[in-house]
Amino acid sequence: AQKVTQAQTEISVVEKEDVTLDCVYETRDTTYYLFWYKQPPSGELVFLIRRNSFDEQNEISGRYSWNFQKSTSSFNFTITASQVVDSAVYFCALINTGFQKLVFGTGTRLLVSP
Amino acid sequence: DGGITQSPKYLFRKEGQNVTLSCEQNLNHDAMYWYRQDPGQGLRLIYYSQIVNDFQKGDIAEGYSVSREKKESFPLTVTSAQKNPTAFYLCASSIVSGTYEQYFGPGTRLTVT
């Protein structure tokens, strides 16, 4: 069975602080894909990143960075110098190559105050 | 602009009535999906379709029905058999079904009283 755990229900930070959102996953498959999505107050999920299980290189995109560690089954997401516009619910998700279901974590609500 | 359209944004119905949620995409994606989101929970898959005229049940299909007569459209009907229909419904699409990222519409918030 596949499972994604986002233990942090809600995180509050002040603008310009760095923040890390944790994601731990469980799967028996050797080939799988991990995703992060952002859900702003408007409700629409916005795709942020897709990473396959064979690529453990960390990735940086502007203020966003992702740390994928197969040894700990984690795919953590860090926002550097947070901004108020980063306030949203962030979801981590997992899918295996057999498809057919994208398994979501319960999400982490990030509140960035000015 | 390419994207996914869901209408309406808010929908109110009386208990016992069927209601159909619209989902249209102009991304030329083959696969489409319906998810349900409840407060404090992740998304749960209701139905998905990999190709026109074909669809499969997800984890919580009971009380829901879908059709896929056109590549661009994947409407979801919430029937009176759905015991707790009040929720936020999200439609998504992807190039093909599988490991590709899914793109989501703005969602429809359904309230049944």
Side-chain angles (χ1 to χ4, degrees):
Chain A
Q2 298 181 107
K3 185 178 178 182
V4 175
T5 301
Q6 296 180 257
Q8 304 153 308
T9 304
E10 185 169 309
I11 300 175
S12 293
V13 299
V14 177
E15 214 170 13
K16 298 183 182 178
E17 283 186 32
D18 298 346
V19 58
T20 295
L21 309 181
D22 297 333
C23 173
V24 174
Y25 62 90
E26 296 175 29
T27 180
R28 294 182 180 177
D29 298 306
T30 56
T31 304
Y32 51 89
Y33 290 76
L34 295 161
F35 302 81
W36 275 95
Y37 284 88
K38 174 182 179 179
Q39 185 177 40
S42 60
E44 180 175 347
L45 265 73
V46 178
F47 165 73
L48 295 178
I49 189 171
R50 167 178 173 265
R51 175 55 56 85
N52 75 59
S53 54
F54 297 109
D55 182 3
E56 287 194 72
Q57 271 194 327
N58 291 334
E59 180 155 343
I60 298 174
S61 176
R63 297 183 297 106
Y64 295 171
S65 62
W66 290 270
N67 183 352
F68 177 28
Q69 292 193 338
K70 289 179 73 171
S71 60
T72 56
S73 296
S74 65
F75 186 42
N76 296 337
F77 173 30
T78 297
I79 302 175
T80 303
S82 60
Q83 300 176 1
V84 173
V85 293
D86 295 327
S87 296
V89 180
Y90 291 87
F91 290 97
C92 181
L94 163 74
I95 195 169
N96 64 12
T97 53
F99 191 64
Q100 301 285 324
K101 184 176 70 172
L102 190 59
V103 176
F104 284 86
T106 52
T108 296
R109 181 178 299 277
L110 175 64
L111 300 172
V112 182
S113 55
Chain B
D1 285 335
I4 300 176
T5 304
Q6 290 186 246
S7 61
K9 180 70 173 176
Y10 298 95
L11 192 54
F12 298 88
R13 281 293 183 272
K14 295 289 187 184
E15 195 173 324
Q17 292 180 337
N18 291 354
V19 59
T20 297
L21 280 59
S22 166
C23 178
E24 303 278 333
Q25 56 99 359
N26 61 5
L27 300 169
N28 200 32
H29 286 173
D30 285 312
M32 297 187 74
Y33 315 81
W34 273 106
Y35 292 91
R36 170 182 172 137
Q37 185 179 21
D38 294 286
Q41 298 191 31
L43 280 68
R44 293 183 290 169
L45 183 64
I46 305 173
Y47 269 97
Y48 65 97
S49 169
Q50 300 176 68
I51 196 169
V52 174
N53 292 323
D54 187 45
F55 47 83
Q56 289 76 40
K57 293 181 179 180
D59 294 326
I60 55 168
E62 185 175 349
Y64 299 98
S65 66
V66 294
S67 63
R68 188 85 186 278
E69 297 176 2
K70 298 187 300 181
K71 186 175 183 178
E72 304 79 20
S73 179
F74 192 41
L76 173 74
T77 296
V78 184
T79 75
S80 56
Q82 167 52 232
K83 296 179 181 178
N84 186 17
T86 295
F88 188 51
Y89 292 88
L90 286 154
C91 178
S93 69
S94 63
I95 297 173
V96 293
S97 67
T99 58
Y100 293 92
E101 56 270 24
Q102 297 177 17
Y103 293 90
F104 286 79
T108 293
R109 191 168 299 279
L110 173 65
T111 302
V112 177
T113 58

